Amino acid sequence: MRGRQNLWGYAFLAPQLIGLILFSLIPVLFTLTLSFMKWDGFGAKEFIGLANYIDQFQDPDFWKALGNTAYYTILVIPASIALSLSVAVALNKIKGKNFYRLFYFMPVVTSSVSIGVIWMWILNGDFGILNQVLANFGIQGPMWLTDTNWVMPSIAILSIWWGLGHNMVIFLAGLQGISKSYYEAAEIDGATKWQKLRHITLPLLSPTTFFIAIMAVISSFQVFDQAYVMTSGGPAKSSYTFVYHIYEAAFVDFKMGISSAAAMVLFVIILVFTLIQFKMSKRWVHYEDQ
């Protein structure tokens, strides 16, 4: 009987396991192999060792893309987590919660290209709706997508708005998993709303926050669609992100080896940041059963 149950278990796991091997593990191994080769995508491959990595570390565009991506990550993650948590806390105890959840989640399932085109119109410095609204308050809006100082914050604003619904729904699920008995006991002791938020909600919500933070870091380092659709990496490569750099090396310059080397560097960066987050989480993540 046990062998039969194990067989059924493996049968149900097989589709996901096969997909993981075919579409994740094998491409990663192929990319790693290709990073040590010179290849234009069509001819024969030539093994050149670490030359692609050396080339990348000496390439100013590599460091420009890495700096832009790090800047974008710093802009997006704290604001995204804080805003989505605030919205989730505000919606947690009001009527019509499902309607607001649907309303906030709609952008998440919208095409990235459509979102980019709409925000290009909103952020247009000459006739965009955002600058028109600011003008009503006597504020001269910047040239959001053509000013080197504002283009990356503009993309960050879009990303924060775009991911708000996704993070908010996860936070709502975490909030609904917190037992009401904690709040009832706190109210008996005379705790204020701020004290309940600080000493009950935030500690017990820390596993959810930890999960969102990890996913946000991974997503931020992989930003591409917004820069590709809205700015094409400009102006003056001010929105030239790391994945855009990988894309350009592979499909514009046809340097598959260099593109693969950059992709492996990105993989290592994301892995290191994830491991650091796991290490730091031991100090601030608390579980209800502890």
Side-chain angles (χ1 to χ4, degrees), residues 179-227:
S179 175
K180 295 181 180 179
S181 60
Y182 293 109
Y183 297 104
E184 293 171 354
E187 289 174 359
I188 293 174
D189 291 338
T192 63
K193 290 183 178 180
W194 166 249
Q195 289 173 330
K196 287 187 287 186
L197 175 66
R198 179 182 177 185
H199 298 290
I200 298 176
T201 303
L202 294 181
L204 294 182
L205 204 60
S206 59
T208 305
T209 307
F210 174 56
F211 170 77
I212 290 177
I214 288 180
M215 299 307 296
V217 168
I218 295 173
S219 176
S220 295
F221 273 100
Q222 294 178 338
V223 60
F224 171 74
D225 297 7
Q226 301 92 310

Side-chain angles (χ1 to χ4, degrees), residues 32-47:
L32 177 61
T33 303
L34 200 59
S35 68
F36 299 107
M37 297 182 178
K38 182 179 180 181
W39 187 44
D40 62 0
F42 300 99
K45 303 179 184 70
E46 178 187 353
F47 181 78

Side-chain angles (χ1 to χ4, degrees), residues 46-198:
E46 178 187 353
F47 181 78
I48 56 174
L50 296 174
N52 288 329
Y53 291 93
I54 295 173
D55 177 271
Q56 283 300 279
F57 291 135
Q58 295 177 346
D59 186 0
D61 286 345
F62 172 89
W63 295 107
K64 181 69 173 179
L66 183 59
N68 287 340
T69 305
Y71 178 43
Y72 168 87
T73 302
I74 293 171
L75 289 175
V76 168
I77 292 180
S80 179
I81 292 176
L83 186 58
S84 56
L85 175 58
S86 301
V87 173
V89 171
L91 295 181
N92 189 39
K93 295 183 179 181
I94 67 173
K95 294 182 179 180
K97 185 189 310 179
N98 292 334
F99 168 78
Y100 287 106
R101 185 184 303 174
L102 174 64
F103 177 78
Y104 279 104
F105 198 78
M106 285 177 63
V108 179
V109 296
T110 305
S111 165
S112 60
V113 175
S114 301
I115 293 291
V117 171
I118 292 172
W119 275 82
M120 285 176 65
W121 172 68
I122 294 174
L123 296 174
N124 187 282
D126 296 319
F127 54 82
I129 188 173
L130 180 56
N131 277 1
Q132 292 181 18
V133 171
L134 293 176
N136 293 332
F137 295 94
I139 301 174
Q140 178 65 40
M143 303 296 289
W144 297 95
L145 299 178
T146 57
D147 188 330
T148 57
N149 295 320
W150 281 99
V151 62
M152 193 55 76
S154 301
I155 295 176
I157 291 171
L158 161 60
S159 299
I160 293 168
W161 169 83
W162 194 10
L164 175 62
H166 177 267
N167 294 338
M168 181 268 296
V169 168
I170 297 176
F171 271 128
L172 269 177
L175 288 170
Q176 293 171 9
I178 299 177
S179 175
K180 295 181 180 179
S181 60
Y182 293 109
Y183 297 104
E184 293 171 354
E187 289 174 359
I188 293 174
D189 291 338
T192 63
K193 290 183 178 180
W194 166 249
Q195 289 173 330
K196 287 187 287 186
L197 175 66
R198 179 182 177 185

